[in-house]
Amino acid sequence: MSPISDFSPVSAADRRLATLARHLESPPQGSESSIFASPTAAGNSVFAHVVQAPEDPILGVTVAYNKDPSPVKLNLGVGAYRTEEGKPLVLNVVRKAEQQLVADRSRVKEYIPIAGLADFNKLSAKLMFGDDSPAILENRITTVQCLSGTGSLRVGGEFLAKHHHQPTIYIPTPTWGNHPKIFTLAGLSVKTYRYYDPTTRGLNFHGLMEDLGSAPSGSVVLLHACAHNPTGVDPTLQQWEQIRKLIRSKGLLPFFDSAYQGFASGSLDADAKPVRMFVADGGELLAAQSYAKNLGLYGERVGALSIICGSSDVARRVESQLKLVIRPMYSSPPIHGASIVATILKDRDLFHEWTIELKGMADRIISMRHQLFDALRKRGTPGDWSHIIKQIGMFTFTGLNKEQVEFMNKEYHIYMTSDGRISMAGLSTKTVPHLADAIHAAVTGMSSKLHADAR
């Protein structure tokens, strides 16, 4: 008799292995259908209940665009810079930095720390807050490298959900479509405050102040540092000062999303002014940075999360908890993109070259705004289109409604999100007339239809 009981787990496992071995040696007739066939082949699946998810409203625009065979099709949906020829751009300064990295034979591909590259973090904080920032000089800031802006927001959201006494975040209406998903899945309760006024196609400053003034003390407030997405509408510096005073007086916690520093106005410092105003008063805040747009490092997924705290001791402890958020999420960030950024930020010549290229991109987008505005005015398109040149950054909230967007898509093969947001970076001198013709037809056509219906 075997010394091991028939009821022991070892014995049961041995029997299963022996059975499997016999099947592998000479499977019984017809046994393939019951033992070796996959659930899918048998018509069943443990995932059979899973429903088809809808396309992302922004990325889905590109999917539809790619399927369109029309030679005049135009994609104004996804926020990625394009040259005058409609091609993706790799900055010359990025290529130079990469060449330096490749030539350095001492570089290895080892894991980097959970918090990321130290040089990248230090230089990113200086870029956002300024070399002379009191938070940096007093060591009240902790910065961790994350997966672009999205990852920075998610890490910040999860940290707040675990450690902030008021796990509610107020986000503007409208905002980037990913914001509510990021913060909800991070564990925060998401509420909104008024931001855009569709009547003026500008800022609803009164509504913004009223809603934030009613927010419970301690609530987190998401603020777009510059070039608000999707509207392109930013507060003036005077309005920013009033917003700052309100937020501080109410004990709210600002969380800045900075996806376009330098890309909006062409000046890194000018686009960071709203954030630096909040730092100067000595209060605490969070800031998420992305290098996707301003360095064209979209696919490298390079970003940073900074938290300014009340003291250096608190900042040190906050960083330890941020590491506990990151470790089970993705363990440590990628090395290549962050190395590119660090190489450029610490080299005076490369940094200067970057500022020139950055201003060139910003100026081209500003030029597209003026060209589109002039083209609509030349056509006598009904309505006041001055908001196109008043708004700033990559996107313009055209004011076109869903029906008009669908008309332009069907008749002119122009692709944009259904809310009428267009990426100015996707335009060129060559394509502006086509877009202006489409907008004119959509506006006059819809107006004629409404007039006929009224009669």
Side-chain angles (χ1 to χ4, degrees):
M1 183 182 233
S2 168
I4 301 177
S5 165
D6 287 344
F7 296 100
S8 74
V10 174
S11 176
D14 285 346
R15 287 198 299 272
R16 286 195 295 272
L17 288 171
T19 300
L20 179 58
R22 286 196 298 272
H23 279 290
L24 289 172
E25 290 171 0
S26 55
Q29 187 70 26
S31 63
E32 292 88 342
S33 62
S34 59
I35 295 178
F36 295 98
S38 68
T40 302
N44 297 309
S45 171
V46 294
F47 303 114
H49 64 285
V50 175
V51 299
Q52 180 70 37
E55 289 279 5
D56 181 277
I58 297 176
L59 301 182
V61 172
T62 299
V63 173
Y65 168 83
N66 289 336
K67 293 179 180 178
D68 188 343
S70 172
V72 298
K73 65 181 180 178
L74 182 59
N75 186 4
L76 301 177
V78 177
Y81 183 81
R82 294 292 181 263
T83 65
E84 180 66 21
E85 295 72 37
K87 303 295 183 182
L89 175 68
V90 178
L91 274 63
N92 289 329
V93 70
V94 168
R95 295 194 186 278
K96 288 182 179 180
E98 286 188 309
Q99 288 169 1
Q100 286 188 22
L101 294 171
V102 171
D104 184 356
R105 302 294 294 179
S106 68
R107 285 180 52 78
V108 294
K109 300 295 185 181
E110 293 292 300
Y111 294 121
I112 60 177
I114 296 172
L117 287 178
D119 278 354
F120 169 84
N121 291 337
K122 179 181 178 180
L123 294 165
S124 291
K126 287 185 176 182
L127 185 72
M128 173 61 67
F129 306 114
D131 289 342
D132 58 350
S133 170
I136 294 176
L137 297 176
E138 297 163 12
N139 294 317
R140 293 188 292 107
I141 181 171
T142 180
T143 302
V144 292
Q145 179 189 335
C146 298
L147 306 183
S148 201
T150 303
S152 302
L153 293 166
R154 179 61 183 266
V155 169
E158 293 213 8
F159 171 80
L160 291 170
K162 292 179 180 178
H163 300 287
H164 190 49
H165 69 279
Q166 176 60 274
T168 302
I169 186 167
Y170 282 77
I171 63 176
T173 303
T175 192
W176 179 43
N178 222 13
H179 278 146
K181 303 170 191 174
I182 290 169
F183 293 120
T184 298
L185 291 175
L188 295 174
S189 172
V190 176
K191 296 186 178 181
T192 62
Y193 63 90
R194 283 170 285 176
Y195 188 88
Y196 179 72
D197 184 346
T199 303
T200 64
R201 297 176 183 175
L203 182 67
N204 184 352
F205 185 66
H206 175 76
L208 180 154
M209 295 293 283
E210 190 172 75
D211 289 349
L212 293 187
S214 302
S217 177
S219 298
V220 183
V221 179
L222 180 74
L223 301 164
H224 295 230
C226 65
H228 180 274
N229 179 5
T231 68
V233 174
D234 286 352
T236 65
L237 288 179
Q238 291 74 24
Q239 289 171 330
W240 270 119
E241 178 59 17
Q242 294 182 61
I243 294 168
R244 183 195 66 80
K245 287 180 178 178
L246 175 63
I247 285 177
R248 294 309 192 195
S249 67
K250 288 283 297 181
L252 306 175
L253 181 62
F255 191 161
F256 283 94
D257 184 1
S258 179
Y260 304 98
Q261 185 183 358
F263 196 84
S265 69
S267 168
L268 290 160
D269 292 328
D271 290 346
K273 276 186 179 179
V275 182
R276 295 177 185 179
M277 289 168 58
F278 280 76
V279 178
D281 66 18
E284 298 181 303
L285 61 82
L286 292 84
Q289 285 173 267
S290 168
Y291 290 97
K293 308 298 192 300
N294 57 16
L295 265 170
L297 296 175
Y298 303 96
E300 298 291 356
R301 313 305 294 143
V302 196
L305 170 70
S306 292
I307 302 182
I308 293 180
C309 306
S311 69
S312 59
D313 179 59
V314 173
R316 178 180 54 81
R317 285 183 275 130
V318 165
E319 180 171 317
S320 72
Q321 292 297 329
L322 288 173
K323 291 177 182 178
L324 293 185
V325 173
I326 293 170
R327 175 62 171 157
M329 189 183 294
Y330 53 86
S331 195
S332 68
I335 190 172
H336 186 65
S339 298
I340 294 172
V341 175
T343 299
I344 293 169
L345 295 185
K346 66 186 177 185
D347 185 294
R348 180 174 297 182
D349 292 336
L350 290 179
F351 182 83
H352 178 67
E353 184 174 346
W354 175 40
T355 61
I356 294 173
E357 290 195 82
L358 184 55
K359 190 174 189 310
M361 290 191 291
D363 286 350
R364 198 187 84 76
I365 291 176
I366 293 170
S367 172
M368 290 302 102
R369 290 184 176 278
H370 284 276
Q371 288 185 40
L372 179 58
F373 171 73
D374 291 343
L376 291 171
R377 188 170 57 178
K378 181 179 179 181
R379 285 162 177 75
T381 306
D384 178 9
W385 298 95
S386 62
H387 60 282
I388 292 175
I389 52 178
K390 291 177 182 176
Q391 295 170 8
I392 190 171
M394 178 172 282
F395 299 110
T396 285
F397 226 41
T398 60
L400 297 168
N401 60 39
K402 187 176 180 179
E403 284 183 297
Q404 291 167 333
V405 170
E406 290 176 350
F407 169 83
M408 290 168 61
N409 175 246
K410 181 180 178 181
E411 301 296 330
Y412 287 83
H413 303 273
I414 293 175
Y415 292 82
M416 66 178 79
T417 52
S418 61
D419 58 6
R421 186 198 78 167
I422 62 174
S423 172
M424 301 305 298
L427 274 178
S428 68
T429 300
K430 181 180 178 180
T431 57
V432 161
H434 180 59
L435 175 61
D437 286 343
I439 293 176
H440 183 82
V443 171
T444 55
M446 297 306 296
S447 297
S448 301
K449 180 179 182 297
L450 291 173
H451 183 66
D453 290 344
R455 288 186 298 178

